[in-house]
Amino acid sequence: GKTTLINLLPRFFEATSGTISIDGQPINGLQINSLRKAISLVSQESVLFDDTILANIGFGRDGANRAAIEAAACDAAADEFIQALPYGYDTYVGEMGNRLSGGQRQRIAIARAMLKDAPILLLDEATAALDAKSEQQVQFALKKLQTGRTTLVVAHRLATVRNADLILVLEGGRITERGTHDVLLEKSGLYARLCQLQFFNDDAEK
């Protein structure tokens, strides 16, 4: 359900009912290319091509020069590990990025989104598959990426969304709760129960 909602926004498929609008304008009235230029997507499974790191980041914006690509990588906390590779930015990542770790692939995807610099950012479980160390590095990069943008975040880890302006709880394909973190805690519903479980487990692990 949650990923389906995210995929409706760039019109990867069309809504069968209702209207999705950006600034009051229905998206089904926009040119596909124009709509997608306004959106960056970072998903749980980052899509990398069997090409160099430079090319994979550069895919975010046509004609971007090397300096702009490297600046985006720095912003995404990726430059340090890239420079440590045998060929740096000219290192080939392998099919689907299989020569890189999960955290490295995600930071390449974030660098690509940094370079694109779109006003709308979609994050679909962007840290769900990472270990604790990689997640911390990626979260730092994501926080920087979100600045000054409209950001929609899909996440099971509630620490990722607790500072959001509005949280929607999706249960059984329907939105059952909405509000800020504090408001939803006071309602003592599903969100509050999940918070209690997750934050208790996180404290126990520490």
Side-chain angles (χ1 to χ4, degrees), residues 7-14 27-30 32 35-36:
N7 287 337
L8 284 170
L9 298 175
R11 290 175 60 189
F12 290 151
F13 50 86
E14 302 289 352
I27 63 172
N28 59 4
L30 300 174
I32 288 282
L35 174 65
R36 292 179 182 171

Side-chain angles (χ1 to χ4, degrees), residues 30-198:
L30 300 174
Q31 292 281 343
I32 288 282
N33 287 343
S34 175
L35 174 65
R36 292 179 182 171
K37 281 181 181 179
I39 296 173
S40 289
L41 170 64
V42 180
S43 61
Q44 181 175 343
E45 296 295 332
S46 51
V47 178
L48 300 186
F49 306 100
D50 190 5
D51 206 329
T52 64
I53 289 175
L54 190 76
N56 269 284
I57 298 174
F59 185 72
R61 190 175 78 222
D62 287 342
N65 61 29
R66 191 181 186 98
I69 291 170
E70 291 183 5
C74 288
D75 286 341
D79 181 72
E80 184 176 352
F81 89 77
I82 294 171
Q83 297 284 11
L85 294 171
Y87 300 102
Y89 284 84
D90 298 311
T91 300
Y92 276 77
V93 303
E95 187 175 352
M96 295 300 293
N98 62 13
R99 294 179 184 171
L100 303 177
S101 70
Q104 289 171 340
R105 289 195 298 270
Q106 285 299 74
R107 280 176 279 166
I108 295 298
I110 293 167
R112 182 190 293 162
M114 291 275 192
L115 185 66
K116 186 174 183 180
D117 197 25
I120 299 172
L121 174 64
L122 308 180
L123 302 178
D124 186 7
E125 296 282 12
T127 65
L130 304 180
D131 58 48
K133 182 179 179 181
S134 295
E135 182 181 13
Q136 186 177 28
Q137 293 169 325
V138 170
Q139 287 284 15
F140 172 79
L142 287 174
K143 186 174 181 181
K144 191 165 188 176
L145 177 58
Q146 291 178 60
T147 302
R149 305 175 203 281
T150 297
T151 307
L152 281 77
V153 182
V154 168
H156 281 93
R157 285 191 58 79
L158 302 182
T160 307
V161 299
R162 65 186 301 170
N163 294 321
D165 297 314
L166 178 65
I167 299 169
L168 304 176
V169 181
L170 195 65
E171 185 179 8
R174 294 181 177 277
I175 294 172
T176 56
E177 299 176 44
R178 66 177 67 210
T180 63
H181 174 77
D182 291 338
V183 166
L184 292 179
L185 285 183
E186 290 177 3
K187 289 184 177 180
S188 300
L190 176 61
Y191 181 86
R193 294 195 301 273
L194 290 174
C195 277
Q196 187 175 22
L197 285 171
Q198 284 194 18

